[in-house]
Amino acid sequence: MAAGLLLSLDAAQRSEPSGLAEPALALVARLDPAGHPHAVWDAAPVLAFLTHFREGAHAKRRWWRRAAPSVPVTAEEAHAALRTLHRYGLISSDRRDGLRAVRCHALTGRAVRETVAEEYGISASIAAAWGLLSIWPDSDDASPEMGAVLRANTAALARHTGAGLWHPASLPLLDQAGRSLMGFHHAAESIAYHEWLIGRNERHLEADHKYTRAARDRLAFSYREMNRWQDANALMARNLAYAESAFGWEHPETLTAACFLAASLRMSGLPEDAEPLEEQVLAGIERLSGSSHSSLRYARSLMAQCRDLAGRPEESIAMGEEVVAEDERTRGPDHRSTVVTKASLARYYERAGRFDDAIATQQQVVAFRHRTEGPEHSATVTARAVLADLYRGAGRKDEARLLREEIVALRERAFGPEHAFTLEARSDYAESLGESGRLDEAVALLAGVLTAQERVLGPGHLHTTKTRLMVRLFQLKATDALGEDLVDELDAPADD
């Protein structure tokens, strides 16, 4: 096979645009055989890689540090090179295949990696990493299929590159693949990925490298989603111990790590362990007041959450209002960070029973998302779901039910009937049905949601547990046998 491959590749390399077929194939062979998007080949790092090796600069490995050449390869030439490789039967390049448009048979890819790709060293992998990273959406929720394809290509790149992928230039891709898994609907997959990533990071990087610490935080959050509180707290405690040793309590990173751990301790029912940490954070924030360090604002936002979890709503509201006011002053009322802090403030108002303030604040968040993302974007729908919760809490149950019904339709259209987002929306709608007295409908709907959640999220997931409790709640209501202990259990903040 290798002989035939080299003959075909030699002919493709001499075809127009000359000199691009071989480096292009070396890059394709590093990625997922099932395919990747054509947009990778519009990325500036990929074009720089092709430019460098068209010039025959094989001895100069660090193409990513070179100044821009006088005649760079264009995106049109890159796509022409793909068409040439397709014509010679070395790859498949068909835009009609969408996110899997550029494919290379697994056997062809292996032959390329064992022969041609060696000429390009780590360069092909770094170019591939940056190409994937350059097209990664800000939020995978808006394009879940894109996220899945990019993660599959990241996994293939890691397999085909090995330890070399832990080059400083490639680390942001491995980190981004982990970030894309954050969210309750990816908890199990996130745990598997981050356990693997942390093991590799600790082997190839320093044990407390910044990317390793970030991966530990994300793994801890995913453990929490699966009710693994002890594992989550242990990881957060390790990151705090490092920050305290490396930076001291006068540094925002230490304050942030302490807030993460304090919030997790409160959620896991250990307020006595959280309290001293929170006192240290508050003292640190006071000492650093007036500092321009960007991370200090984040620490203050997290501290507001801790005060909320501690059952001190007035303190959380005061801190939340301060952060919002500062964001509005320094970043503007329509900055994305300002909108995020407003969303948190709405939640604090809700916990304090100030539903009018909560609804008014959340309506601003919805209006911003609607204006900037569009009415059917996942971020907009999520903001509307929070607004529906606030309507419910304020006693405006008909408005909540109607809004939740709309959200179910939007989620089904965007994600399909059994995506975790759709199941969450259906569970919320069933809750509104039950509260409206339509108990039989609510129980029937929840039973289907529960079956799907056990399959999609797992039986121990927080959302699965909540749905299971809600089924019992409405079944007991239907038989007039509701116990106060179950009401308390259901109302506990399990999904914080």
Side-chain angles (χ1 to χ4, degrees), residues 19 23 49-58 60 63 119-120 123:
F49 163 79
L50 294 175
T51 299
H52 180 75
F53 286 100
R54 178 170 66 178
E55 295 174 353
H58 289 261
K60 299 178 181 178
W63 57 270
E119 294 291 321
Y120 298 88
S123 294

Side-chain angles (χ1 to χ4, degrees), residues 105-153:
H105 193 281
L107 293 178
T108 302
R110 179 178 177 180
V112 170
R113 292 191 299 275
E114 291 175 349
T115 55
V116 176
E118 289 299 316
E119 294 291 321
Y120 298 88
I122 192 63
S123 294
S125 292
I126 290 177
W130 283 6
L132 295 173
L133 191 61
S134 68
I135 65 170
W136 214 301
D138 291 338
S139 170
D140 284 6
D141 292 344
S143 181
E145 291 183 6
M146 170 72 97
V149 167
L150 294 178
R151 288 194 298 274
N153 275 275

Side-chain angles (χ1 to χ4, degrees), residues 163-179:
L165 194 61
W166 273 258
H167 186 285
S170 304
L171 293 177
L173 175 70
L174 296 166
D175 188 65
Q176 178 59 43
R179 290 178 183 276

Side-chain angles (χ1 to χ4, degrees), residues 315-337:
E315 292 180 40
S316 64
I317 287 171
M319 295 188 75
E321 288 177 339
E322 287 177 7
V323 174
V324 168
E326 183 179 351
D327 278 350
E328 288 183 330
R329 183 175 63 255
T330 59
R331 298 177 173 180
D334 280 342
H335 191 279
R336 290 184 180 274
S337 295

